[in-house]
Amino acid sequence: MIIFGTRRTVRQLAMVVLTCANCRRTVTNAVLKAVTRFTLFFVPLVPIRVRHATQCTACGFQQWIDREHAHQLVAHAAAPGGPPSPGPPTR
């Protein structure tokens, strides 16, 4: 018996300030990267699909964007003078 399937992992690339298309608030949005991989015996092997999205922190609305737009948002967030990137939590 061969066990196969898919698994999706989502990683946060950056936090940027945008106007949400759903709630119309100007709030922080997460830029996300979702990678779907083919798995064999529960081991992820080959990436099948890579998608990028923004997710509003106020209402949770998620909007898929193209790769170039995601890279522009990440570069803008990392640029000097842009919003500071979140650091490790302090205790």
Side-chain angles (χ1 to χ4, degrees):
M1 177 192 279
I2 297 177
I3 300 173
F4 63 93
T6 60
R7 177 179 297 165
R8 177 185 285 181
T9 57
V10 179
R11 193 176 81 189
Q12 180 178 318
L13 300 177
M15 295 295 285
V16 294
V17 177
L18 299 171
T19 301
C20 178
N22 186 46
C23 66
R24 305 283 188 234
R25 295 185 209 166
T26 302
V27 294
T28 306
N29 285 262
V31 179
L32 306 172
K33 180 179 181 180
V35 179
T36 303
R37 295 181 184 266
F38 174 77
T39 61
L40 184 62
F41 294 105
F42 305 104
V43 177
L45 296 175
V46 181
I48 297 173
R49 184 179 206 181
V50 178
R51 295 180 82 185
H52 294 83
T54 59
Q55 185 173 21
C56 178
T57 56
C59 68
F61 179 71
Q62 186 172 338
Q63 181 176 2
W64 296 109
I65 58 174
D66 60 354
R67 183 181 64 148
E68 291 80 21
H69 190 210
H71 288 301
Q72 287 174 357
L73 290 173
V74 170
H76 178 69
S85 60
T90 57
R91 295 182 187 192

